Amino acid sequence: MMEIRNPLDDIKLIDCISGKNAIDRIMRRYALGRGDYENSKYVREKNQELGWTNYSRDIITPFWKTFCAALVYTSAHYEIVRGKWKSDNVKETYILVENNIQYRTYYDKRDDTKGTPLSKEKMGKRYLDGNFTHKSFVDKTIEIFPELEELAAISDSISNFSPCPDQPFNSMKGLLPDVCDFLNLFVDKIQKCVDANVGLEYDKLSVTADDIRAWHIWLLKNREKFLLQDYYAIDDNRLRGKEFFPGQSLNNPLPFAERDIRKCIENEIDILKKRGAMF
């Protein structure tokens, strides 16, 4: 079995997930239903080496949400009709509903309906099965945004995992539509709750104002310790998330313009490389 020699090594390779490239590998991981590697032995061993023990862990840079934004961009500019690409009078094949990806069939487009949710696992399986539409759109998206391939590799590296407060911190971060799994935005959400002295509720998850304050204190105390300086700033005991693209906020969590998608991917890669070099 391969060993991790660099904090930026793709854990999928060590986990025996093969593929012709990083996109193929991440789709295979999705198809297998394997979650992120925050609780893998590779991350645990590195955390022990760094003295980061007795903490929960979570990803800090979301590949899936960034990929979905890029896929929706492709879908807004290109459509497959009778097996061929067209770029005029396009009807979107993929859309976001509460910032979650949905797939629209020919009939959904015809009837102007929202389609059905598309999970990571379903997308991975359809891509690997050679489903013409899904594979074509993924390949087209990578053609437009080739940097996604590098992000697909290093987003599953040790550099993308950090200790975090206990549950439901990571679940809330992943599920809140205005956060989209971005740590920098969750920081802003937490500060907003602290300012208003309120808790958080979403779906079946609930945390109190006291819980939020405890998360706030944790983030104040541990930014340098866990190498999170590029994700948020601290000003007079206030937390402020750092943008991954111009104008990113709780009201605008995902990039939709081509330049913003490129900037988001570029920043994600640069920050992960910088953090990996600190280990």
Side-chain angles (χ1 to χ4, degrees):
M1 180 180 292
M2 295 175 60
E3 295 181 358
I4 292 178
R5 301 182 183 277
N6 186 301
L8 293 170
D9 285 346
D10 187 350
I11 295 176
K12 293 186 290 296
L13 289 170
I14 291 90
D15 196 31
C16 299
I17 296 180
S18 61
K20 60 185 179 183
N21 55 47
I23 296 298
D24 196 65
R25 292 194 296 272
I26 204 164
M27 289 296 161
R28 195 171 299 277
R29 174 168 78 78
Y30 291 161
L32 291 169
R34 295 188 191 177
D36 296 311
Y37 287 107
E38 65 262 40
N39 294 314
S40 69
K41 74 182 187 73
Y42 318 107
V43 176
R44 289 199 308 271
E45 288 171 357
K46 188 63 178 181
N47 279 200
Q48 289 170 357
E49 178 187 324
L50 295 167
W52 296 354
T53 55
N54 302 318
Y55 293 100
S56 297
R57 293 175 294 275
D58 193 15
I59 65 162
I60 46 179
T61 306
F63 174 82
W64 173 249
K65 288 293 188 178
T66 305
F67 170 76
C68 287
L71 188 63
V72 167
Y73 172 87
T74 303
S75 170
H77 292 81
Y78 298 95
E79 185 180 12
I80 298 174
V81 177
R82 298 183 181 91
K84 295 182 179 180
W85 289 110
K86 59 173 283 190
S87 57
D88 59 311
N89 299 317
V90 168
K91 292 184 179 179
E92 295 95 333
T93 302
Y94 303 91
I95 62 171
L96 292 172
V97 176
E98 292 191 344
N99 288 326
N100 290 311
I101 193 93
Q102 299 211 168
Y103 170 65
R104 301 172 74 223
T105 65
Y106 164 81
Y107 300 102
D108 294 320
K109 297 176 192 179
R110 184 194 65 184
D111 300 335
D112 197 24
T113 58
K114 293 181 178 180
T116 56
L118 184 62
S119 67
K120 294 179 183 179
E121 185 173 350
K122 187 181 292 184
M123 171 59 94
K125 286 180 177 178
R126 289 181 175 176
Y127 177 85
L128 293 175
D129 287 344
N131 177 281
F132 179 76
T133 298
H134 292 290
K135 190 173 189 315
S136 295
F137 266 102
V138 171
D139 291 346
K140 187 72 169 178
T141 300
I142 303 307
E143 178 185 321
I144 298 170
F145 302 104
E147 305 87 351
L148 279 169
E149 187 170 336
E150 182 175 10
L151 184 60
I154 65 176
S155 66
D156 277 333
S157 72
I158 286 173
S159 64
N160 196 26
F161 300 98
S162 173
C164 68
D166 290 337
Q167 278 281 28
F169 181 92
N170 57 357
S171 293
M172 278 283 194
K173 181 170 73 67
L175 292 174
L176 287 169
D178 56 353
V179 171
C180 289
D181 216 14
F182 282 90
L183 177 62
N184 57 319
L185 293 181
F186 200 31
V187 161
D188 287 340
K189 188 78 170 181
I190 289 168
Q191 184 63 59
K192 185 176 180 180
C193 290
V194 168
D195 291 344
N197 192 30
V198 296
L200 265 177
E201 292 186 5
Y202 185 76
D203 196 20
K204 297 179 181 179
L205 300 176
S206 177
V207 291
T208 66
D210 287 341
D211 294 327
I212 296 289
R213 280 192 292 273
W215 290 354
H216 189 269
I217 292 169
W218 191 100
L219 290 162
L220 287 172
K221 289 173 56 179
N222 290 300
R223 186 183 68 149
E224 285 75 21
K225 180 177 181 180
F226 298 132
L227 311 176
L228 299 173
Q229 298 95 318
D230 285 320
Y231 292 87
Y232 61 96
I234 299 174
D235 304 310
D236 296 326
N237 285 328
R238 293 180 58 81
L239 304 173
R240 175 176 53 81
K242 296 185 176 183
E243 296 178 346
F244 276 62
F245 61 91
Q248 187 184 30
S249 69
L250 293 170
N251 293 321
N252 184 39
L254 293 175
F256 294 109
E258 181 178 356
R259 65 181 181 278
D260 291 339
I261 295 170
R262 292 194 191 284
K263 188 65 176 175
C264 186
I265 298 168
E266 175 188 321
N267 279 334
E268 288 174 312
I269 290 172
D270 287 348
I271 289 170
L272 287 175
K273 285 183 174 180
K274 182 177 176 182
R275 189 169 185 265
M278 295 179 187
F279 284 7

